[in-house]
Amino acid sequence: MSNLGLGPGREFDRLRGILARLGNAARDIGDDCAVIPDGPGRLVVSVDLAVEEIHFRRDWLTLEEIGWRAASAALSDLAAEGAEVVAVLTGVAVPSAATDEDLYALMAGIGAAAVAAGGVVSGGDLSAGERWVVNLTVIGRARRPVTRGGAMVGDGIWVTGALGGARAALEDWRAGRVPSPLARAAFAHPIPRIAAGVALADAGAHAMLDLSDGLGGDAEHLAAASGVRLEIDLDLLPIHPAVPDVVKAAALPPAMFAAIGGEDYELLVALPPRFRDEDAASFTRAVGLGLTRIGEVRQGSGACFTLAGTPIVIRGYNHFE
Amino acid sequence: MSNLGLGPGREFDRLRGILARLGNAARDIGDDCAVIPDGPGRLVVSVDLAVEEIHFRRDWLTLEEIGWRAASAALSDLAAEGAEVVAVLTGVAVPSAATDEDLYALMAGIGAAAVAAGGVVSGGDLSAGERWVVNLTVIGRARRPVTRGGAMVGDGIWVTGALGGARAALEDWRAGRVPSPLARAAFAHPIPRIAAGVALADAGAHAMLDLSDGLGGDAEHLAAASGVRLEIDLDLLPIHPAVPDVVKAAALPPAMFAAIGGEDYELLVALPPRFRDEDAASFTRAVGLGLTRIGEVRQGSGACFTLAGTPIVIRGYNHFE
């Protein structure tokens, strides 16, 4: 942490406190702008807004976890573009009842997620507010940015990791139960798939997005952006190990539960037909993450799901319904 | 507006509505990330958060004005770095009582400010919320980024435009009066000084910032970042024409009122001694904006103000006091 170079005042004391807490997780803070380091590839940027009572609840998560999760959700958009992390900037509204330590805990969570993903916190803004609001701006660099719009007929549809873990924790909390540690970790401590995104871009991914809204909704987005139809076999879905215990209470087939559940932050990717199971095995050895073929791209529109050979309807989650 | 490529749902209908309203003021929206166009110079980025009841009130401004003002406040940070505008991204929390038209009006104001400053809206995020929250991320490009930290002993301290107009409107509203059109415009429709910032960077500015917190606080920031002392003669201050009418009620000398008032978004700049009044006149002819020498840089620390030869104390505004 360098000399911050701010005048006196409580707001600036808080900024100094944040920087002391962030240590090497922060860089170049305190000017009107942060200067982005030069480098190869295209710069990409994304914004993600998390609002108390909408995206998180203080009685479910610690403020450090809230910071980690908000930052990781944003960083996941860089992963979905095949980008490495360059910089993270925060806009935080702080309730008047919050202590300095509350704010430092939130920022420590953001800083830890930034560093774990290969970035630093490079700037931001603080405001008073009635509720916690955490806006994350993430900037990355991609040799070959992968959009949602390039899926081609014949591509395989693949997904990283396993689905439904975050939703399992939510289901428990909403029912007044304490989530299992595994489910809680999936919700509180998601890992943005940065290395996986870069590896999939290098492997020739045609289209990619992260499963923030759940497979049901996000598969529709990929289909719409690419002008194709996605046919997904839910019997192939990799299901998070926390799901079976929770799903009895939810009275849903585990695969349907996992397909509806959002906020897993795994990657959904269209890979050309030449990408085979042995390539997926190489990917897993290199990145340490599963990669499962769950369907393919056809002519048409929309996302179609089958379970045990029967067509079913899956909806995504969105904040205005 | 291209095909947005989003699946069905109310959140995505709203995004489509925003894009229809923004027209050419939006570009490349709908993917996980926006790709920043390549170009010369260094990329710089800043974040600015505006919260209802803290930074703005619905009974003072229309939502279009709230959008314009929030975007312009953020763009002003690019001006202070000597940067041109590349991209604007928004994170907006929308109260449940807000209509689609409310949201479109806010976004139209943001889009108008982005276009007026030479940029476009390139992405963002929407959320539900209890109050309006508007987070702006602005990305620019500077041939020579000007920080707050380069002021040198002997530099002149200059300010663009005139100060105190926004504060005059605030003073009227707080006293239950209707501000004059001139004061209201200064508050509701600030102009980020992008062309001025680029011209001052090209003229060899050593340090620069925008007067968001008021001259009192911001001069302290420039002094602290540069490790120097600023001596400012308030008798030289260019005072906004709306100030004299309001200042009688405030019982303050007009120059003190103008120095305390924040949110003018004019630029405070340290220019080398070779920059003279005739250079300022050239600047004004080129940019169409006044540039006034109000003090100079000395050895020491802090910002010192005199009025009619008498030292006085000026404080800035900050959100936690």
Side-chain angles (χ1 to χ4, degrees), chain A residues 3-12 14 30-38 41-55 76-78 80-81 83 87 89-95 103 122-131 133 135-139 145-149 208-210 213 217 220-222 224-225 315 317-321, chain B residues 3-12 14 30-38 41-55 76-81 83 87 89-94 103 122-131 133 135-139 145-149 208-210 213 217 220-222 224-225 315 317-321:
Chain A
N3 169 29
L4 183 53
L6 287 172
R10 174 136 166 67
E11 182 174 355
F12 309 112
R14 279 193 149 168
D31 215 83
D32 297 287
C33 294
V35 178
I36 300 301
D38 286 331
R42 304 295 304 271
L43 271 174
V44 299
V45 57
S46 183
V47 165
D48 215 56
L49 185 65
V51 177
E52 187 179 358
E53 301 297 327
I54 305 290
H55 297 87
S76 178
D77 285 326
L78 297 184
E81 201 82 9
L89 295 95
T90 59
V92 179
V94 186
L103 176 59
S122 300
D125 194 19
L126 283 181
S127 166
E130 276 187 59
R131 303 252 181 205
V133 177
N135 188 91
L136 268 294
T137 302
V138 291
I139 299 177
V146 181
T147 70
R148 303 173 170 194
M208 189 154 59
L209 51 56
D210 67 317
D213 295 339
E220 290 274 2
H221 297 325
L222 199 147
R315 288 253 164 271
Y317 172 78
N318 82 59
H319 297 299
F320 292 112
E321 278 177 352
Chain B
N3 169 29
L4 183 53
L6 287 173
R10 173 134 166 69
E11 181 175 356
F12 309 112
R14 279 193 148 169
D31 215 84
D32 298 288
C33 295
V35 178
I36 301 300
D38 286 331
R42 303 295 304 273
L43 270 173
V44 298
V45 56
S46 183
V47 166
D48 215 56
L49 185 65
V51 177
E52 186 180 357
E53 301 298 326
I54 305 290
H55 296 87
S76 178
D77 285 327
L78 297 183
E81 201 82 9
L89 295 95
T90 60
V92 179
V94 186
L103 175 59
S122 300
D125 194 18
L126 284 181
S127 168
E130 276 187 58
R131 303 250 181 207
V133 177
N135 188 91
L136 269 294
T137 302
V138 291
I139 299 178
V146 181
T147 70
R148 303 173 170 195
M208 188 154 60
L209 51 56
D210 67 318
D213 295 338
E220 291 274 2
H221 297 325
L222 198 148
R315 288 254 163 270
Y317 173 78
N318 84 59
H319 297 300
F320 292 113
E321 278 177 351

Side-chain angles (χ1 to χ4, degrees), chain A residues 48-123:
Chain A
D48 215 56
L49 185 65
V51 177
E52 187 179 358
E53 301 297 327
I54 305 290
H55 297 87
F56 59 85
R57 286 177 49 171
R58 292 287 315 281
D59 52 343
W60 291 354
L61 300 183
T62 68
L63 280 163
E64 194 155 353
E65 288 171 331
I66 289 166
W68 173 284
R69 192 163 170 278
S72 294
L75 290 162
S76 178
D77 285 326
L78 297 184
E81 201 82 9
E84 291 178 326
V85 184
V86 173
V88 173
L89 295 95
T90 59
V92 179
V94 186
S96 55
T99 66
D100 287 354
E101 282 305 315
D102 288 340
L103 176 59
Y104 301 159
L106 179 89
M107 292 302 301
I110 292 172
V115 167
V120 289
V121 177
S122 300

